[in-house]
Amino acid sequence: MRSNKFLKAEQASLVWDLPGLIAGVDEAGRGPLAGPVVAAAVILDDRAPIKGLADSKQLSERRREQLYDEIRAKALCCSVAQASVEEIDRLNILQATLLAMQRAVLGLRLKPAKVLVDGNRLPALDVLAEAVVSGDALVPAISAASILAKVTRDRLLLKLHDQFPGYGFDRHKGYGTAQHLLALRTLGPLEAHRRSFAPVARALQQQASR
């Protein structure tokens, strides 16, 4: 039976010659005050290289969208998963992030021989896994995963903006900008807001005291 505990990983040297498929994993949305955290897992096809893969945060929105389509078309397989706002509030953001990563890996059509995860923590997996600090800038499969996760989450926040245009989700994507904090104070938190995050908790207290 797979353990529900998540593992703290020590940074190890990369093993590039491991036989079998290698999956890259990354997340988007740990810091925002609203919306789910999204993770992606990608197994690239060496026979169909993708030029320009990089940390999604270093790419323009237009370039991310272009690479998103190319990754979807050329990767051997990929999987995108998320952990909900309710799970973030119940588990904490770190554990929810690791849960989303675990779900992304389990959702792959092909089982990898090894999983490379951006950062210094590992989700509980039944395959060999390694944490890679700054992996989204070093490992193409992790870069691809970071792009899929980022684009997917941004699209979710754009849908939230369509429902609640007063909060500015189309611009800040849920992060705690001055505009977002003002909207929280004046309009109050939504169901999509993470109540375990301090600015949201303060806005709830202010709302209750009115």
Side-chain angles (χ1 to χ4, degrees), residues 62-185:
R62 180 180 179 184
R63 185 60 181 141
R64 284 196 301 267
E65 290 282 349
Q66 292 171 339
L67 285 168
Y68 176 96
D69 291 336
E70 190 171 358
I71 294 163
R72 285 287 194 183
K74 291 184 175 180
L76 284 178
C77 63
C78 51
S79 169
V80 179
Q82 59 184 271
S84 68
V85 170
E86 186 276 330
E87 288 171 321
I88 292 169
D89 287 338
R90 175 164 50 86
L91 300 172
N92 75 45
I93 184 58
L94 172 60
Q95 297 303 322
T97 299
L98 295 172
L99 178 61
M101 288 179 168
Q102 181 188 64
R103 287 170 174 166
V105 174
L106 292 175
L108 288 169
R109 178 177 56 84
L110 303 172
K111 186 168 184 175
K114 185 174 184 179
V115 175
L116 302 178
V117 180
D118 182 59
N120 62 0
R121 296 284 187 127
L122 291 173
L125 299 170
D126 61 359
V127 297
L128 182 64
E130 181 179 318
V132 186
V133 174
S134 300
D136 49 5
L138 299 172
V139 181
I142 299 180
S143 300
S146 77
I147 292 166
L148 292 192
K150 171 68 173 167
V151 171
T152 298
R153 191 177 188 283
D154 282 357
R155 290 177 179 178
L156 291 173
L157 271 292
L158 288 175
K159 290 181 180 178
L160 192 61
H161 172 73
D162 290 341
Q163 293 177 274
F164 305 99
Y167 290 82
F169 291 116
D170 60 328
R171 291 184 288 279
H172 55 65
K173 303 300 189 299
Y175 283 90
T177 64
Q179 177 196 18
H180 192 183
L181 294 176
L182 177 61
L184 271 174
R185 291 193 297 269

